[in-house]
Amino acid sequence: MTDKPVPYKCIPLQEAQELLNNPETVIIDIRDKVSYQAGNIPNSINLSEKNIVDFLDSTDREVPLLVYCYHGINSKEAAEYFVSNGFQTVFSLDGGFSEFSQQNL
């Protein structure tokens, strides 16, 4: 039995730095609004059920997406969701915002 390949890639923060520095990368924060407002990765977009349809309707499927959550668990599910909606290059940030905030304070 062969495992189905994962349609997105989980990457550590060091590997994500290149994406974070690329102005074409769309950085997606899937945490709740209060957590996002308390601190986030610069230039990220806070997505929720309220604005996901607009995002899907208005975003180029060719741009790289970097998805993060609190600790890098829920972002995997979100990354899979974006792939299923036609996005070509999707990454999930290992360790999530927790890891980012420890490295970038």
Side-chain angles (χ1 to χ4, degrees):
M1 183 173 134
T2 58
D3 288 331
K4 188 172 86 170
V6 177
Y8 61 90
K9 184 176 180 192
C10 294
I11 58 172
L13 184 58
Q14 291 140 316
E15 201 175 318
Q17 287 299 339
E18 189 176 323
L19 287 166
L20 293 171
N21 295 331
N22 178 351
E24 289 194 9
T25 301
V26 177
I27 306 164
I28 299 170
D29 184 319
I30 62 164
R31 300 174 304 146
D32 66 87
K33 189 174 188 173
V34 172
S35 296
Y36 178 79
Q37 289 173 338
N40 57 70
I41 294 177
N43 303 313
S44 62
I45 302 167
N46 185 222
L47 284 186
S48 68
E49 312 83 46
K50 293 178 180 165
N51 61 358
I52 187 72
V53 172
D54 288 340
F55 176 82
L56 292 173
D57 289 345
S58 65
T59 306
D60 181 357
R61 300 305 199 258
E62 301 293 317
V63 298
L65 298 184
L66 177 63
V67 185
Y68 73 95
C69 58
Y70 296 97
H71 301 289
I73 313 249
N74 293 332
S75 58
K76 293 176 187 175
E77 200 172 296
E80 201 166 300
Y81 174 80
F82 288 115
V83 168
S84 73
N85 276 278
F87 287 90
Q88 305 295 310
T89 311
V90 182
F91 301 92
S92 174
L93 182 61
D94 287 341
F97 185 72
S98 175
E99 181 71 19
F100 177 84
S101 62
Q102 287 177 12
Q103 302 293 322
N104 290 280
L105 291 181

